[in-house]
Amino acid sequence: MNILNKTHSFGLVLILCGTILALVTTVIIGPFNIVNTDKISPINIINLANKQRSLQDTQPLTTNADLMNAAQKRAEALAQQLELNDNKYKQITAWEYIKDVNYPFQVAGENIAIDGPTNLDIVEGWMQSITHKTNILNSSYSDIGVGVASFYSADNIQNRNITVALFATQTNDGKTNISEPTFPAGPLYVATSSFNLTSKLLLFISFALIIIGGYIEFRQIQIHHRLQNIK
């Protein structure tokens, strides 16, 4: 302690600042950046999609219980595929899930989003893609169902999420048309929010401050020892 008292405190200040910044980023900011299904609400996704339709003077979509069920099962299956890297689900299309819940459709579409941190990020991401935007604004659809599931990514060492939106219109005779016109929009990886990037940058800065501060203190202690030996 005597050595530290006799050395310059600039290094200690950097270490203290870095430690505080790391704690603030981890404890306060960090939890807001965790990707999980609790942040994604199917109902909010539907409301945001209908808001986009209203801007185009298109009739709002009706939340359908069968499509909600189908979308949830589809999301869970895709999440399992992504987590286990299992290709068997690639052979099963969204339309099979719609059929399994006994929803007879004459037209159907699907939007998929991966890693969307918020409801707004997901819908805005879809609106920036021509195929996904077309599904949201398509006046041929009358019903919608949304499902959300999470999966663990070994590559990124974190929990991630997947959101599935199914759009469809029922047939009048209660039978799915033989032609079954479908409009799938491939998985869209929603960009990480700037808020998340900011927290990562702050952590990097905090660790840099701690390392630099530690180095400065180490050098100061060495200089102090040399001066003591000279005396």
Side-chain angles (χ1 to χ4, degrees):
M1 181 61 68
N2 290 332
I3 294 176
L4 292 179
N5 289 335
K6 293 178 181 179
T7 60
H8 295 289
S9 60
F10 181 65
L12 290 177
V13 171
L14 290 180
I15 294 174
L16 180 61
C17 290
T19 302
I20 294 175
L21 182 59
L23 288 174
V24 170
T25 304
T26 304
V27 177
I28 299 178
I29 300 178
F32 291 100
N33 294 324
I34 298 176
V35 177
N36 57 60
T37 56
D38 293 337
K39 290 184 179 181
I40 310 303
S41 164
I43 297 301
N44 286 340
I45 293 287
I46 293 172
N47 290 337
L48 288 169
N50 277 330
K51 182 177 180 180
Q52 293 295 332
R53 289 173 70 91
S54 67
L55 295 175
Q56 301 296 323
D57 293 326
T58 304
Q59 288 296 316
L61 297 164
T62 301
T63 303
N64 181 276
D66 291 332
L67 286 183
M68 292 290 285
N69 187 18
Q72 184 59 39
K73 290 181 177 179
R74 171 71 165 167
E76 291 173 359
L78 290 175
Q80 184 176 358
Q81 173 194 337
L82 290 167
E83 184 166 316
L84 301 179
N85 196 21
D86 191 345
N87 292 324
K88 70 178 181 178
Y89 291 109
K90 291 182 179 180
Q91 308 301 322
I92 305 176
T93 65
W95 330 126
E96 297 301 321
Y97 291 92
I98 297 177
K99 291 178 184 177
D100 286 344
V101 296
N102 296 318
Y103 180 101
F105 63 93
Q106 60 183 358
V107 63
E110 177 187 42
N111 278 5
I112 300 174
I114 298 176
D115 293 342
T118 67
N119 302 290
L120 185 60
D121 287 327
I122 290 173
V123 176
E124 287 186 345
W126 282 340
M127 291 301 293
Q128 293 172 12
S129 165
I130 294 176
T131 52
H132 296 81
K133 178 180 179 179
T134 299
N135 273 336
I136 291 178
L137 302 181
N138 195 333
S139 59
S140 298
Y141 301 136
S142 61
D143 299 331
I144 186 175
V146 175
V148 183
S150 62
F151 65 96
Y152 180 78
S153 173
D155 294 336
N156 293 340
I157 316 178
Q158 65 177 351
N159 287 323
R160 304 169 67 184
N161 62 25
I162 183 168
T163 303
V164 174
L166 297 178
F167 311 86
T169 297
Q170 294 192 49
T171 58
N172 294 325
D173 57 8
K175 297 180 180 180
T176 297
N177 287 344
I178 297 177
S179 59
E180 299 175 10
T182 56
F183 303 93
L188 178 72
Y189 288 81
V190 180
T192 303
S193 66
S194 58
F195 185 70
N196 192 15
L197 292 175
T198 300
S199 68
K200 291 180 179 179
L201 178 61
L202 289 176
L203 278 177
F204 175 81
I205 293 174
S206 65
F207 291 142
L209 289 175
I210 293 173
I211 293 173
I212 294 173
Y215 176 76
I216 291 175
E217 282 302 304
F218 174 74
R219 292 294 297 169
Q220 290 296 334
I221 291 174
Q222 283 186 322
I223 294 173
H224 177 77
H225 276 301
R226 290 174 185 173
L227 292 175
Q228 287 293 100
N229 292 334
I230 293 175
K231 293 179 181 180

